[in-house]
Amino acid sequence: MELIDGKALANTIKDELSETVLQLKEAGKKVPHLAAVLVGEDPASQAYVRNKVRSCERVGFESTLIRRPADISQEALLEIVDQLNKDDEIDGFIVQLPLPDHINEHVVTLAIDPKKDVDGFHPVNFGRMAQGMSSYIPATPYGILQMLDRMNIQTEGKEVVVVGRSNIVGTPISILLSRKAKLGNATVTLCHSRTNNLKEHTLRADIIIAAIGRADFVTADMVKEGVVIIDVGINRVEDAGRKRGYRLVGDVDFDGVAPKASYITPVPGGVGQLTVVALLLNTLKAANKEVFG
Ligand code: GUN
């Protein structure tokens, strides 16, 4: 069993990005600039956005954080999106989700210029991705692709079972891995909460991508020997032994499954580490105008 060290992979890619920034500066070119809009005080969202800004600093990107209170109107938020769309200084931006209930997330996502949509959430980017055109790939699927690539894990001809069909992880990664492309060409089964006989599917899998958001959902009896496990879950479980009262676990029962796996990602320290890196890679693509030309 080999542990996939997300932190080490992320640091390698961040070092590469730092080098790219130095080269851009030496050539007198503009440094990539990411903006993030954070609405309200949700602690998890604050932590994610802080991490995004800090990661920009680490690699030498410019970053701008726009914070607004939870009672901002949808119109006022759309005005900010419009300004960011028009601002030539900003290469790409994100509006951190979830948004307060009175704001329609779809309306906000649709208002973002697809050329600056480094989250890859706009339907134009999703559609381009599904058709094999160049696009911004959402951070978690892109992070998984980076992980598979850098660990030299082959996907061609492999049986991949994705557990969970969210718009930001399960559905896009199932499309990406089945595309006729490098890091694709797999036979993908997309399982979800209504799948009958889930175990019949997972037992066939060469690679399992667990993204269903339930602690320790994939257990040892559900996987075959030599399986590759990519665990996207980040679940809090009560733990009185910890100062903060909980610990983080994935969607996979790590201790049970690890002895059967050829590769497995830990939680924390696995896929999560690559998601911010993926956002930085998309921001670099935005600055280079690589996606839309
Ligand atoms: N909330 C949780 N993950 C994400 C993400 O990748 N992008 C945005 N904008 N919001 C999120």
Side-chain angles (χ1 to χ4, degrees), residues 45 48 52 94-98 119 121 139-140 168:
S45 291
Y48 286 140
K52 289 169 187 178
I94 63 150
V95 177
Q96 186 67 24
L97 305 177
D119 260 332
F121 290 172
T140 303
I168 63 173

Side-chain angles (χ1 to χ4, degrees), residues 91-156:
D91 297 299
F93 67 97
I94 63 150
V95 177
Q96 186 67 24
L97 305 177
L99 290 168
D101 289 345
H102 67 280
I103 297 177
N104 185 328
E105 287 183 359
H106 292 305
V107 171
V108 174
T109 300
L110 284 167
I112 296 173
D113 182 345
K115 294 188 177 71
K116 292 193 173 187
D117 169 38
V118 284
D119 260 332
F121 290 172
H122 193 289
V124 165
N125 275 306
F126 202 94
R128 289 173 68 102
M129 177 195 73
Q131 297 201 9
M133 300 164 72
S134 69
S135 70
Y136 297 112
I137 298 170
T140 303
Y142 195 15
I144 294 171
L145 294 185
Q146 288 292 327
M147 203 169 229
L148 295 171
D149 190 24
R150 287 171 187 257
M151 296 302 293
N152 270 319
I153 295 170
Q154 304 301 313
T155 56
E156 182 158 334

Side-chain angles (χ1 to χ4, degrees), residues 2-291:
E2 187 171 344
L3 199 64
I4 302 180
D5 185 343
K7 196 164 181 77
L9 290 173
N11 277 329
T12 301
I13 301 173
K14 284 180 185 168
D15 287 346
E16 292 168 7
L17 285 167
S18 302
E19 183 57 36
T20 303
V21 169
L22 285 181
Q23 287 167 4
L24 285 171
K25 282 184 175 164
E26 274 169 22
K29 292 193 179 145
K30 181 181 171 302
V31 163
H33 191 159
L34 174 72
V37 183
L38 175 59
V39 176
E41 308 283 330
D42 177 62
S45 291
Q46 291 187 51
Y48 286 140
V49 170
R50 214 180 302 127
N51 191 16
K52 289 169 187 178
V53 170
R54 210 182 292 135
S55 296
C56 281
E57 284 164 9
R58 153 86 159 80
V59 302
F61 284 10
E62 296 280 345
S63 63
T64 297
L65 173 58
I66 300 170
R67 294 195 69 156
R68 290 294 181 271
D71 63 358
I72 186 175
S73 69
Q74 181 165 303
E75 288 65 36
L77 181 58
L78 290 172
E79 179 57 33
I80 292 172
V81 168
D82 190 47
Q83 292 297 325
L84 291 169
N85 283 340
K86 290 177 183 153
D87 187 341
D88 289 339
E89 269 303 303
I90 305 290
D91 297 299
F93 67 97
I94 63 150
V95 177
Q96 186 67 24
L97 305 177
L99 290 168
D101 289 345
H102 67 280
I103 297 177
N104 185 328
E105 287 183 359
H106 292 305
V107 171
V108 174
T109 300
L110 284 167
I112 296 173
D113 182 345
K115 294 188 177 71
K116 292 193 173 187
D117 169 38
V118 284
D119 260 332
F121 290 172
H122 193 289
V124 165
N125 275 306
F126 202 94
R128 289 173 68 102
M129 177 195 73
Q131 297 201 9
M133 300 164 72
S134 69
S135 70
Y136 297 112
I137 298 170
T140 303
Y142 195 15
I144 294 171
L145 294 185
Q146 288 292 327
M147 203 169 229
L148 295 171
D149 190 24
R150 287 171 187 257
M151 296 302 293
N152 270 319
I153 295 170
Q154 304 301 313
T155 56
E156 182 158 334
K158 296 287 166 62
E159 290 277 346
V160 174
V161 171
V162 178
V163 187
R165 58 182 157 182
S166 70
N167 285 338
I168 63 173
V169 187
T171 298
I173 195 66
S174 67
I175 293 169
L176 288 160
L177 291 178
S178 54
R179 288 196 313 187
K180 190 170 186 173
K182 185 175 175 249
L183 297 168
N185 291 320
T187 304
V188 181
T189 306
L190 180 54
C191 297
H192 44 76
S193 54
R194 305 287 172 90
T195 297
N196 289 333
N197 304 321
L198 177 65
K199 189 172 162 180
E200 264 176 33
H201 298 286
T202 55
L203 273 173
R204 245 191 8 254
D206 301 307
I207 301 172
I208 295 177
I209 316 255
I212 193 147
R214 290 209 231 156
D216 298 334
F217 183 75
V218 177
T219 48
D221 58 306
M222 295 167 69
V223 309
K224 72 176 181 187
E225 284 291 335
V227 67
V228 174
I229 298 284
I230 306 292
D231 189 351
V232 181
I234 301 178
N235 307 290
R236 285 184 182 191
V237 296
E238 272 186 42
D239 187 342
R242 303 276 173 114
K243 212 162 79 184
R244 56 188 180 181
Y246 67 88
R247 69 194 147 86
L248 295 177
V249 302
D251 290 353
V252 176
D253 169 23
F254 184 91
D255 292 339
V257 170
K260 293 177 87 172
S262 55
Y263 292 91
I264 186 166
T265 61
V267 177
V271 177
Q273 298 285 329
L274 272 295
T275 58
V276 177
V277 163
L279 180 66
L280 297 176
L281 290 169
N282 277 342
T283 304
L284 178 63
K285 285 185 180 181
N288 288 341
K289 310 230 178 317
E290 264 177 57
V291 173

